[in-house]
Amino acid sequence: MIKFFRKIRQNLLMENKTSKYFKYAIGEIILVVIGILIALQINTWNQQKNNQEILKQFTVEFKEELRLNIRDFKFDLELIKNQKKLKNNLLKNKRLDTIPLDSLEKYVETFYINVAYSPVLLNRFENTQISNYGKYDSIFLDLQEFYGYHWPQFRKELNEHNKAVDKEDQFWRYQQNKYELNFSSDNDTFIKDSIQRKKELIKLIKSPIVRNILKTDLRRKKLFKIRIERKILLGEKIQKQIDEALKD
C-alpha cells in the first residue's frame, strides 16, 4: 500500500503536475489523519469495553461486601435496640427491688459499638483510576459516597461513643466507692449477702450521677439506632441498583 502511494507521487512529479501533486498530498494527509482517528476510536472502544468488564467484576465483589456489611449492621442494630430497651426500662422502673441483682448489674453496663470494616476493596477499585463508569455510573458514585464519606464519618462517631463508654467504665471500676462489681460467675465479692449488695447497688442507681450516665447512654443508643438504620437503607438501595445492573 505504501509503495502504491509512493508510485503515484513519483508519477505526478515526473509528469510535472505540481498542482495535482499538492492536492494528492493533502488528500493523503487527510487519509492518514482519518486512519489515526479511527484507530484512536477503536482503541477507546476497546478500553471502554475492558473498563466495563472490570467494573462488572467490582460490582459483583461490592455486592458481596455490602451483604456482609448490612448483615453486621443489622446484628449491631438488634444489640443497640436491646440495650436501649434495658436502659429505658431501668430508668422508668420505680420498683428496682423487684429486679434480680444479676439483672440490675447487666442493666447498668454500657457497651462498645464495633462494626469491623477494612476498605481494601475500595482502595483496590480507586487504584484502577477508572473515572467513566458507563452504565454503572450511579452505582459507583453511591458506593464511593457510602464507603468514602459515610463510613469514615460513622467510624468517627463510633470512636466518640466508645470513648464515652470508657469514661463510664472508669466510674464503675475506680470512681464510685459504694458497690463491688461481680466479674465472675462464682459471686466472688467481699460482701457475700446478695440482699445487702442489692441495696447498695439500688442506692447508686437512684443517685443523680448514675442516672445521668444511664440517660446519656440511652440518648447515644437512640442516635446510633437512627444512624445504623440509615446505613442499612442506603446499603440496600445500592444492592438493588447492583441487582438491576447485573440483570442486563
PDB file of all heavy atoms in Angstrom, residues 224-241:
ATOM      1  N   PHE A 224     -27.620   6.301  67.601  1.00  0.00           N
ATOM      2  CA  PHE A 224     -26.949   5.288  66.788  1.00  0.00           C
ATOM      3  C   PHE A 224     -27.948   4.333  66.144  1.00  0.00           C
ATOM      4  O   PHE A 224     -27.683   3.794  65.066  1.00  0.00           O
ATOM      5  CB  PHE A 224     -25.912   4.526  67.607  1.00  0.00           C
ATOM      6  CG  PHE A 224     -24.539   5.118  67.468  1.00  0.00           C
ATOM      7  CD1 PHE A 224     -24.073   6.048  68.383  1.00  0.00           C
ATOM      8  CD2 PHE A 224     -23.732   4.790  66.393  1.00  0.00           C
ATOM      9  CE1 PHE A 224     -22.832   6.622  68.246  1.00  0.00           C
ATOM     10  CE2 PHE A 224     -22.487   5.360  66.240  1.00  0.00           C
ATOM     11  CZ  PHE A 224     -22.023   6.272  67.166  1.00  0.00           C
ATOM     12  N   LYS A 225     -29.067   4.132  66.775  1.00  0.00           N
ATOM     13  CA  LYS A 225     -30.120   3.324  66.145  1.00  0.00           C
ATOM     14  C   LYS A 225     -30.542   3.978  64.837  1.00  0.00           C
ATOM     15  O   LYS A 225     -30.653   3.309  63.795  1.00  0.00           O
ATOM     16  CB  LYS A 225     -31.312   3.207  67.091  1.00  0.00           C
ATOM     17  CG  LYS A 225     -32.516   2.478  66.498  1.00  0.00           C
ATOM     18  CD  LYS A 225     -33.640   2.409  67.512  1.00  0.00           C
ATOM     19  CE  LYS A 225     -34.913   1.842  66.899  1.00  0.00           C
ATOM     20  NZ  LYS A 225     -35.534   2.737  65.907  1.00  0.00           N
ATOM     21  N   ILE A 226     -30.769   5.294  64.862  1.00  0.00           N
ATOM     22  CA  ILE A 226     -31.168   6.030  63.659  1.00  0.00           C
ATOM     23  C   ILE A 226     -30.052   5.993  62.614  1.00  0.00           C
ATOM     24  O   ILE A 226     -30.302   5.758  61.420  1.00  0.00           O
ATOM     25  CB  ILE A 226     -31.518   7.495  64.011  1.00  0.00           C
ATOM     26  CG1 ILE A 226     -32.766   7.539  64.894  1.00  0.00           C
ATOM     27  CG2 ILE A 226     -31.734   8.324  62.747  1.00  0.00           C
ATOM     28  CD1 ILE A 226     -33.049   8.892  65.506  1.00  0.00           C
ATOM     29  N   ARG A 227     -28.800   6.208  63.045  1.00  0.00           N
ATOM     30  CA  ARG A 227     -27.676   6.223  62.110  1.00  0.00           C
ATOM     31  C   ARG A 227     -27.483   4.878  61.423  1.00  0.00           C
ATOM     32  O   ARG A 227     -27.256   4.810  60.212  1.00  0.00           O
ATOM     33  CB  ARG A 227     -26.399   6.626  62.848  1.00  0.00           C
ATOM     34  CG  ARG A 227     -26.340   8.113  63.188  1.00  0.00           C
ATOM     35  CD  ARG A 227     -25.237   8.417  64.163  1.00  0.00           C
ATOM     36  NE  ARG A 227     -25.206   9.839  64.498  1.00  0.00           N
ATOM     37  CZ  ARG A 227     -24.717  10.321  65.631  1.00  0.00           C
ATOM     38  NH1 ARG A 227     -24.223   9.498  66.549  1.00  0.00           N
ATOM     39  NH2 ARG A 227     -24.705  11.619  65.859  1.00  0.00           N
ATOM     40  N   ILE A 228     -27.578   3.810  62.195  1.00  0.00           N
ATOM     41  CA  ILE A 228     -27.385   2.487  61.608  1.00  0.00           C
ATOM     42  C   ILE A 228     -28.536   2.134  60.676  1.00  0.00           C
ATOM     43  O   ILE A 228     -28.329   1.547  59.613  1.00  0.00           O
ATOM     44  CB  ILE A 228     -27.219   1.425  62.722  1.00  0.00           C
ATOM     45  CG1 ILE A 228     -25.855   1.629  63.414  1.00  0.00           C
ATOM     46  CG2 ILE A 228     -27.302   0.014  62.153  1.00  0.00           C
ATOM     47  CD1 ILE A 228     -25.574   0.668  64.529  1.00  0.00           C
ATOM     48  N   GLU A 229     -29.750   2.509  61.043  1.00  0.00           N
ATOM     49  CA  GLU A 229     -30.903   2.260  60.157  1.00  0.00           C
ATOM     50  C   GLU A 229     -30.715   2.977  58.825  1.00  0.00           C
ATOM     51  O   GLU A 229     -31.048   2.427  57.758  1.00  0.00           O
ATOM     52  CB  GLU A 229     -32.185   2.722  60.835  1.00  0.00           C
ATOM     53  CG  GLU A 229     -32.656   1.785  61.939  1.00  0.00           C
ATOM     54  CD  GLU A 229     -33.811   2.328  62.749  1.00  0.00           C
ATOM     55  OE1 GLU A 229     -34.033   3.566  62.727  1.00  0.00           O
ATOM     56  OE2 GLU A 229     -34.497   1.532  63.421  1.00  0.00           O
ATOM     57  N   ARG A 230     -30.158   4.193  58.863  1.00  0.00           N
ATOM     58  CA  ARG A 230     -29.901   4.932  57.618  1.00  0.00           C
ATOM     59  C   ARG A 230     -28.834   4.236  56.778  1.00  0.00           C
ATOM     60  O   ARG A 230     -28.937   4.172  55.547  1.00  0.00           O
ATOM     61  CB  ARG A 230     -29.463   6.362  57.949  1.00  0.00           C
ATOM     62  CG  ARG A 230     -30.600   7.262  58.416  1.00  0.00           C
ATOM     63  CD  ARG A 230     -30.088   8.614  58.852  1.00  0.00           C
ATOM     64  NE  ARG A 230     -31.171   9.496  59.276  1.00  0.00           N
ATOM     65  CZ  ARG A 230     -30.981  10.654  59.885  1.00  0.00           C
ATOM     66  NH1 ARG A 230     -29.755  11.082  60.144  1.00  0.00           N
ATOM     67  NH2 ARG A 230     -32.014  11.400  60.244  1.00  0.00           N
ATOM     68  N   LYS A 231     -27.796   3.714  57.429  1.00  0.00           N
ATOM     69  CA  LYS A 231     -26.738   2.990  56.705  1.00  0.00           C
ATOM     70  C   LYS A 231     -27.310   1.742  56.041  1.00  0.00           C
ATOM     71  O   LYS A 231     -26.959   1.419  54.903  1.00  0.00           O
ATOM     72  CB  LYS A 231     -25.603   2.591  57.657  1.00  0.00           C
ATOM     73  CG  LYS A 231     -24.910   3.739  58.365  1.00  0.00           C
ATOM     74  CD  LYS A 231     -24.144   4.630  57.417  1.00  0.00           C
ATOM     75  CE  LYS A 231     -23.499   5.788  58.149  1.00  0.00           C
ATOM     76  NZ  LYS A 231     -24.453   6.725  58.752  1.00  0.00           N
ATOM     77  N   ILE A 232     -28.193   1.057  56.742  1.00  0.00           N
ATOM     78  CA  ILE A 232     -28.808  -0.148  56.177  1.00  0.00           C
ATOM     79  C   ILE A 232     -29.648   0.213  54.951  1.00  0.00           C
ATOM     80  O   ILE A 232     -29.566  -0.449  53.904  1.00  0.00           O
ATOM     81  CB  ILE A 232     -29.670  -0.861  57.236  1.00  0.00           C
ATOM     82  CG1 ILE A 232     -28.775  -1.469  58.323  1.00  0.00           C
ATOM     83  CG2 ILE A 232     -30.511  -1.968  56.593  1.00  0.00           C
ATOM     84  CD1 ILE A 232     -29.534  -2.008  59.525  1.00  0.00           C
ATOM     85  N   LEU A 233     -30.448   1.271  55.053  1.00  0.00           N
ATOM     86  CA  LEU A 233     -31.298   1.692  53.929  1.00  0.00           C
ATOM     87  C   LEU A 233     -30.462   2.072  52.717  1.00  0.00           C
ATOM     88  O   LEU A 233     -30.779   1.700  51.582  1.00  0.00           O
ATOM     89  CB  LEU A 233     -32.179   2.872  54.348  1.00  0.00           C
ATOM     90  CG  LEU A 233     -33.360   2.545  55.274  1.00  0.00           C
ATOM     91  CD1 LEU A 233     -34.057   3.822  55.720  1.00  0.00           C
ATOM     92  CD2 LEU A 233     -34.350   1.615  54.575  1.00  0.00           C
ATOM     93  N   LEU A 234     -29.373   2.819  52.947  1.00  0.00           N
ATOM     94  CA  LEU A 234     -28.504   3.230  51.840  1.00  0.00           C
ATOM     95  C   LEU A 234     -27.832   2.017  51.212  1.00  0.00           C
ATOM     96  O   LEU A 234     -27.760   1.901  49.983  1.00  0.00           O
ATOM     97  CB  LEU A 234     -27.452   4.223  52.346  1.00  0.00           C
ATOM     98  CG  LEU A 234     -26.473   4.780  51.312  1.00  0.00           C
ATOM     99  CD1 LEU A 234     -27.222   5.420  50.144  1.00  0.00           C
ATOM    100  CD2 LEU A 234     -25.528   5.790  51.946  1.00  0.00           C
ATOM    101  N   GLY A 235     -27.349   1.100  52.052  1.00  0.00           N
ATOM    102  CA  GLY A 235     -26.712  -0.112  51.534  1.00  0.00           C
ATOM    103  C   GLY A 235     -27.682  -0.954  50.723  1.00  0.00           C
ATOM    104  O   GLY A 235     -27.324  -1.477  49.650  1.00  0.00           O
ATOM    105  N   GLU A 236     -28.916  -1.098  51.203  1.00  0.00           N
ATOM    106  CA  GLU A 236     -29.916  -1.894  50.483  1.00  0.00           C
ATOM    107  C   GLU A 236     -30.313  -1.222  49.172  1.00  0.00           C
ATOM    108  O   GLU A 236     -30.604  -1.909  48.177  1.00  0.00           O
ATOM    109  CB  GLU A 236     -31.137  -2.109  51.374  1.00  0.00           C
ATOM    110  CG  GLU A 236     -30.858  -3.081  52.508  1.00  0.00           C
ATOM    111  CD  GLU A 236     -32.031  -3.252  53.459  1.00  0.00           C
ATOM    112  OE1 GLU A 236     -32.900  -2.348  53.498  1.00  0.00           O
ATOM    113  OE2 GLU A 236     -32.061  -4.274  54.169  1.00  0.00           O
ATOM    114  N   LYS A 237     -30.321   0.103  49.165  1.00  0.00           N
ATOM    115  CA  LYS A 237     -30.616   0.839  47.920  1.00  0.00           C
ATOM    116  C   LYS A 237     -29.551   0.535  46.863  1.00  0.00           C
ATOM    117  O   LYS A 237     -29.865   0.272  45.694  1.00  0.00           O
ATOM    118  CB  LYS A 237     -30.654   2.340  48.204  1.00  0.00           C
ATOM    119  CG  LYS A 237     -30.787   3.196  46.950  1.00  0.00           C
ATOM    120  CD  LYS A 237     -30.427   4.642  47.232  1.00  0.00           C
ATOM    121  CE  LYS A 237     -30.211   5.425  45.950  1.00  0.00           C
ATOM    122  NZ  LYS A 237     -29.623   6.753  46.174  1.00  0.00           N
ATOM    123  N   ILE A 238     -28.280   0.545  47.271  1.00  0.00           N
ATOM    124  CA  ILE A 238     -27.194   0.250  46.326  1.00  0.00           C
ATOM    125  C   ILE A 238     -27.273  -1.209  45.877  1.00  0.00           C
ATOM    126  O   ILE A 238     -27.014  -1.523  44.707  1.00  0.00           O
ATOM    127  CB  ILE A 238     -25.824   0.557  46.959  1.00  0.00           C
ATOM    128  CG1 ILE A 238     -25.736   2.032  47.361  1.00  0.00           C
ATOM    129  CG2 ILE A 238     -24.700   0.236  45.977  1.00  0.00           C
ATOM    130  CD1 ILE A 238     -24.494   2.392  48.157  1.00  0.00           C
ATOM    131  N   GLN A 239     -27.640  -2.107  46.786  1.00  0.00           N
ATOM    132  CA  GLN A 239     -27.800  -3.518  46.424  1.00  0.00           C
ATOM    133  C   GLN A 239     -28.826  -3.682  45.297  1.00  0.00           C
ATOM    134  O   GLN A 239     -28.605  -4.452  44.357  1.00  0.00           O
ATOM    135  CB  GLN A 239     -28.250  -4.325  47.635  1.00  0.00           C
ATOM    136  CG  GLN A 239     -27.116  -4.808  48.538  1.00  0.00           C
ATOM    137  CD  GLN A 239     -27.635  -5.703  49.640  1.00  0.00           C
ATOM    138  OE1 GLN A 239     -28.673  -5.445  50.242  1.00  0.00           O
ATOM    139  NE2 GLN A 239     -26.908  -6.763  49.925  1.00  0.00           N
ATOM    140  N   LYS A 240     -29.937  -2.976  45.396  1.00  0.00           N
ATOM    141  CA  LYS A 240     -30.980  -3.053  44.363  1.00  0.00           C
ATOM    142  C   LYS A 240     -30.457  -2.524  43.028  1.00  0.00           C
ATOM    143  O   LYS A 240     -30.742  -3.085  41.961  1.00  0.00           O
ATOM    144  CB  LYS A 240     -32.218  -2.262  44.801  1.00  0.00           C
ATOM    145  CG  LYS A 240     -32.995  -2.929  45.926  1.00  0.00           C
ATOM    146  CD  LYS A 240     -34.199  -2.090  46.337  1.00  0.00           C
ATOM    147  CE  LYS A 240     -34.947  -2.739  47.492  1.00  0.00           C
ATOM    148  NZ  LYS A 240     -36.097  -1.919  47.949  1.00  0.00           N
ATOM    149  N   GLN A 241     -29.688  -1.424  43.093  1.00  0.00           N
ATOM    150  CA  GLN A 241     -29.093  -0.875  41.865  1.00  0.00           C
ATOM    151  C   GLN A 241     -28.178  -1.911  41.212  1.00  0.00           C
ATOM    152  O   GLN A 241     -28.180  -2.081  39.984  1.00  0.00           O
ATOM    153  CB  GLN A 241     -28.286   0.384  42.189  1.00  0.00           C
ATOM    154  CG  GLN A 241     -29.117   1.602  42.535  1.00  0.00           C
ATOM    155  CD  GLN A 241     -28.224   2.784  42.884  1.00  0.00           C
ATOM    156  OE1 GLN A 241     -27.690   2.867  43.986  1.00  0.00           O
ATOM    157  NE2 GLN A 241     -28.043   3.686  41.958  1.00  0.00           N
TER     158      GLN A 241
END
